[in-house]
């Protein structure tokens, strides 16, 4: 279990260093610079480093450390609980940033800045994690550093099937995010962590279930086995397609592009009452002469709001 203890120490050190960087950035930088760039860089470093270490445990742990799937899935769930509690609003995922743009909740310059920050953070996470592996603090890190020169591709299925898997994972992920975006963190964070764990268990053997283009680019695009175009189809086009479909299903439109609802008809909430108007007291037999069946200034019951 020495290898697992080293990995747990790696996780704790990553969270501690990133939390220190967040607090320092928040204290030293303007609010706009922190929220638009620095927070995304630190969040991407934290997410990327932990996912790289977790991937190493998944690939080497079962045969080199004797770790069972129950231990690995529990650790993954706890990691994403910790991410949800500490990221301080950072998205650390390009498709989530693009979702905010399509929902007309973020501007184009702000979205591009976040995308650049996420890419920079993921590359920094790869560099720092490989440096830590080179120290060979455990047998697992020693094996990983020896295998790092010839990394294996995360795509273990055909390109069309892999793109479909990534699209399905991203679709479920973004649909849950949209459904819970106004919910308290006490409900949203465990739900997202559980969803990530389930998708990693079901889709992990095929594509590693990244549904994060920046993370996939830094982890597997440099590995042999597939071309850059094939990787892009699976890990870029797949998650983007799933995200767009989730927004369309949830909203019925893409608010950035369309004003009217494309899928769902919007009926008027208030409907005019049916039937004839009640007669005034004293007019129980015959309406007074000149009575036209409507009050002055009121619409007829057969007006435009009736069906």
């Amino acid at each position: 279990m020495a290898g697992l203890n080293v990995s747990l120490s790696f996780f704790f050190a990553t969270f501690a260093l990133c939390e220190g960087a967040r607090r320092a950035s928040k204290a030293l930088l303007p609010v706009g610079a922190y929220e638009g760039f620095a927070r995304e860089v630190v969040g991407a470093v934290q997410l990327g480093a932990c996912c790289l270490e977790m991937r190493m445990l998944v690939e080497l742990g079962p045969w080199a450390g004797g770790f069972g799937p129950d231990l690995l899935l529990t650790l993954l769930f706890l990691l994403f609980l910790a991410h949800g509690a500490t990221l301080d609003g950072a998205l650390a995922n390009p498709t989530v940033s693009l979702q905010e743009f399509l929902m007309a909740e973020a501007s184009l310059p702000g979205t591009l800045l976040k995308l650049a920050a996420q890419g920079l953070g993921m590359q920094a996470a790869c560099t720092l994690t490989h440096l830590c592996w080179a120290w060979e603090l455990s047998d697992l890190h020693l094996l990983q550093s020896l295998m790092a020169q010839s990394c294996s591709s995360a795509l273990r299925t055909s390109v069309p099937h892999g793109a479909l898997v990534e699209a399905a994972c991203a679709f479920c992920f973004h649909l849950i995010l949209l459904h819970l975006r106004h919910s308290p963190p006490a409900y949203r964070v465990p739900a997202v962590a559980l969803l990530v764990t389930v998708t990693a268990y079901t889709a992990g053997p095929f594509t590693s279930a990244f549904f994060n283009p920046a993370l996939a680019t830094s982890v597997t695009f440099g590995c042999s086995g597939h071309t850059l175009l094939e990787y892009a189809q699976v890990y870029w086009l797949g998650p983007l397609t799933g995200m767009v479909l989730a927004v369309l299903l949830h909203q019925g439109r893409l608010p950035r592009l369309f004003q009217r609802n494309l899928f769902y008809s919007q009926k008027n909430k208030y409907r005019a009452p049916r039937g004839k108007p009640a007669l005034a007291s004293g007019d129980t037999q015959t309406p007074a002469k000149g009575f036209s069946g409507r009050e002055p200034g009121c619409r007829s019951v057969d007006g435009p709001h009736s069906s």
Side-chain angles (χ1 to χ4, degrees):
M1 297 296 287
L4 180 60
N5 292 333
V6 171
S7 293
L8 291 176
S9 300
F10 176 87
F11 292 137
F12 282 120
T14 300
F15 279 102
L17 291 174
C18 289
E19 184 62 25
R22 262 188 292 269
R23 295 191 178 187
S25 301
K26 188 181 294 187
L28 298 175
L29 296 176
V31 176
Y34 169 72
E35 294 182 351
F37 187 78
R39 181 175 64 180
E40 289 296 328
V41 172
V42 177
V45 169
Q46 177 177 307
L47 180 64
C50 291
C51 285
L52 282 168
E53 183 73 10
M54 190 68 214
R55 186 167 183 254
M56 183 270 298
L57 289 176
V58 170
E59 290 184 345
L60 303 180
W63 63 272
F67 306 149
D70 51 349
L71 173 63
L72 296 173
L73 290 173
T74 302
L75 184 57
L76 180 64
F77 176 75
L78 294 176
L79 274 178
F80 274 88
L81 276 182
H83 284 312
T86 60
L87 283 179
D88 192 29
L91 305 178
N93 189 331
T95 58
V96 181
S97 299
L98 292 172
Q99 172 192 298
E100 287 191 346
F101 175 73
L102 290 179
M103 295 285 292
E105 296 174 350
S107 64
L108 180 59
T111 300
L112 294 177
L113 186 62
K114 286 184 178 181
L115 294 179
Q118 290 158 5
L120 178 63
M122 290 295 177
Q123 291 302 318
C126 283
T127 302
L128 294 175
T129 305
H130 283 85
L131 178 62
C132 181
W133 288 341
W135 294 345
E136 301 176 359
L137 299 176
S138 69
D139 292 340
L140 294 177
H141 283 187
L142 172 61
L143 291 171
Q144 183 62 41
S145 63
L146 293 175
M147 298 169 58
Q149 300 300 325
S150 57
C151 63
S152 59
S153 173
L155 180 58
R156 306 180 188 92
T157 184
S158 65
V159 172
H161 184 227
L164 181 62
V165 168
E166 285 292 306
C169 292
F171 175 79
C172 297
F173 176 70
H174 286 275
L175 200 59
I176 291 295
L177 283 185
L178 288 167
H179 185 69
L180 298 177
R181 59 180 177 156
H182 298 305
S183 301
Y187 299 104
R188 184 176 64 253
V189 171
V192 171
L194 180 61
L195 176 65
V196 170
T197 305
V198 172
T199 53
Y201 176 74
T202 55
F206 304 108
T207 64
S208 291
F210 288 117
F211 49 93
N212 184 328
L215 180 60
T217 300
S218 61
V219 171
T220 197
F221 272 39
C223 300
S224 60
H226 295 85
T227 65
L228 179 62
L229 180 60
E230 289 174 335
Y231 280 132
Q233 291 176 18
V234 175
Y235 294 111
W236 290 354
L237 185 60
L240 286 174
T241 302
M243 179 271 292
V244 172
L245 291 177
V247 174
L248 280 173
L249 181 63
H250 186 266
Q251 296 292 116
R253 63 191 178 101
L254 300 177
R256 176 68 64 178
L257 303 178
F258 305 103
Q259 295 298 321
R260 63 184 297 272
N261 199 305
L262 301 177
F263 293 158
Y264 311 124
S265 60
Q266 295 179 334
K267 296 182 178 180
N268 197 341
K269 184 178 179 180
Y270 302 100
R271 304 176 65 89
R274 292 179 177 273
K276 297 180 180 180
L279 298 178
S281 58
D283 294 335
T284 57
Q285 299 297 325
T286 306
K289 184 178 180 180
F291 181 75
S292 61
R294 70 181 72 178
E295 294 292 333
C298 296
R299 293 181 177 178
S300 167
V301 293
D302 296 325
H305 289 280
S306 64
S307 57

